[in-house]
Amino acid sequence: YRLTPWDPWSYYSVQCNEARTHVTIQQKARFGIGDVFFLAVYMQRCEVIVDSVKRMTEDTVHLQSGRRIEAAVMLKLLGFTGDFEVDRLLKVKEMAGFWANGDNRRYIASEGPGVSASNFGGTSLSPGAIMWVTQGSHMMDYPKDWETMVTSGMLPLHKAELEIDKPAYVLDARIQTSMGFVIPAFCTLLGEEAAGFGQLKRRKQLECHPLKAFLQEASEEWDEYAKKWKAEDPTLLDPPEYPYKFN
């Protein structure tokens, strides 16, 4: 964010202490995290405009603010919604955590929309996926652990939200984060297993993508994009050096 004119601490979804040493992000959408996005903003190849479209004419977008933007192509990104067929197939009336109707044999896990976290160990699907598989199979194999947890009433409940086209099985990031505390509290074995997943992920990442080679490739891609854009539009700002170095 130092390459941009923005102050992320001022965003509505960012909650922090006065010293800015601890932060929690809570929002319904995901944020841009690609290196190339920040490079494009710095070089002024990309501009982020927060406004609403009032109307459109040939090659022009008219905004509510009165600004006009020349545009040859417009992409309308609608995001995604869950599939109600999943609820129908498994006869879901209410989710108790990841479990349909409180049944330990009907386990449904999907990536939660939005962000609700203060500690980001990664941005990929696999860390969550290995936990989902471990939790689901454990509660099938050890129904007594499941019974203790479900009868406690601590699992968050969720029904379909028809007004926003959201099936019951789609649990947002806030609900899934809470389950990260509830489930290990009732099953210490799962907590012990999960403690090793971080090191497992780190080892696999470094085996497949050694840090020095990874940073070298990312730096070369950064320079490649910058060179291409500058050739297409010499008025762009000169690119900064790739911000991450191998020490």
Side-chain angles (χ1 to χ4, degrees):
Y1 279 95
R2 293 175 182 173
L3 298 178
T4 73
W6 310 321
D7 176 17
W9 297 97
S10 65
Y11 292 173
Y12 79 94
S13 59
V14 176
Q15 304 170 20
C16 63
N17 60 357
E18 187 175 352
R20 294 183 172 181
T21 56
H22 180 80
V23 63
T24 298
I25 300 177
Q26 293 184 334
Q27 60 186 54
K28 294 183 179 180
R30 301 293 178 90
F31 40 76
I33 55 173
D35 292 347
V36 174
F37 169 70
F38 291 98
L39 174 64
V41 171
Y42 177 90
M43 293 181 65
Q44 298 181 359
R45 171 82 176 192
C46 171
E47 181 184 4
V48 178
I49 302 171
V50 180
D51 208 329
S52 297
V53 176
K54 183 177 181 180
R55 61 190 176 91
M56 299 177 65
T57 57
E58 185 176 1
D59 297 330
T60 305
V61 178
H62 302 260
L63 303 180
Q64 290 286 0
S65 62
R67 182 174 175 180
R68 298 180 181 181
I69 303 174
E70 293 185 4
V73 176
M74 183 175 183
L75 303 178
K76 187 173 184 180
L77 308 181
L78 302 174
F80 65 92
T81 57
D83 188 351
F84 278 92
E85 178 63 16
V86 176
D87 280 6
R88 188 204 64 77
L89 177 66
L90 294 172
K91 302 184 182 338
V92 181
K93 294 181 179 179
E94 181 178 64
M95 295 292 294
F98 290 119
W99 291 270
N101 304 336
D103 184 346
N104 67 316
R105 298 161 299 177
R106 281 186 283 174
Y107 182 76
I108 312 172
S110 67
E111 190 172 12
V115 177
S116 178
S118 57
N119 183 20
F120 295 87
T123 57
S124 59
L125 176 65
S126 57
I130 190 174
M131 194 68 243
W132 294 334
V133 171
T134 303
Q135 290 174 351
S137 58
H138 179 91
M139 294 306 175
M140 292 181 194
D141 294 337
Y142 301 95
K144 288 186 178 180
D145 284 349
W146 162 254
E147 185 175 356
T148 301
M149 182 174 65
V150 74
T151 56
S152 72
M154 295 294 291
L155 282 175
L157 306 178
H158 181 248
K159 294 182 179 181
E161 301 174 67
L162 301 179
E163 66 279 6
I164 59 173
D165 203 26
K166 187 177 183 180
Y169 81 92
V170 177
L171 308 177
D172 62 28
R174 180 182 56 82
I175 292 178
Q176 295 202 20
T177 298
S178 70
M179 285 194 291
F181 297 99
V182 172
I183 297 174
F186 286 93
C187 184
T188 55
L189 178 59
L190 283 174
E192 292 172 1
E193 287 188 61
F197 289 163
Q199 284 299 317
L200 175 64
K201 175 195 171 187
R202 181 179 186 275
R203 178 174 60 80
K204 288 185 173 183
Q205 170 74 14
L206 292 177
E207 285 179 2
C208 296
H209 310 285
L211 183 57
K212 187 174 183 179
F214 184 89
L215 288 175
Q216 178 66 28
E217 186 171 334
S219 178
E220 290 173 356
E221 185 180 74
W222 176 280
D223 294 338
E224 182 181 352
Y225 272 106
K227 183 178 180 180
K228 178 177 182 291
W229 294 338
K230 191 72 174 178
E232 293 173 350
D233 184 358
T235 66
L236 296 179
L237 296 181
D238 291 333
E241 291 186 357
Y242 188 65
Y244 304 106
K245 305 296 182 182
F246 180 80
N247 295 322

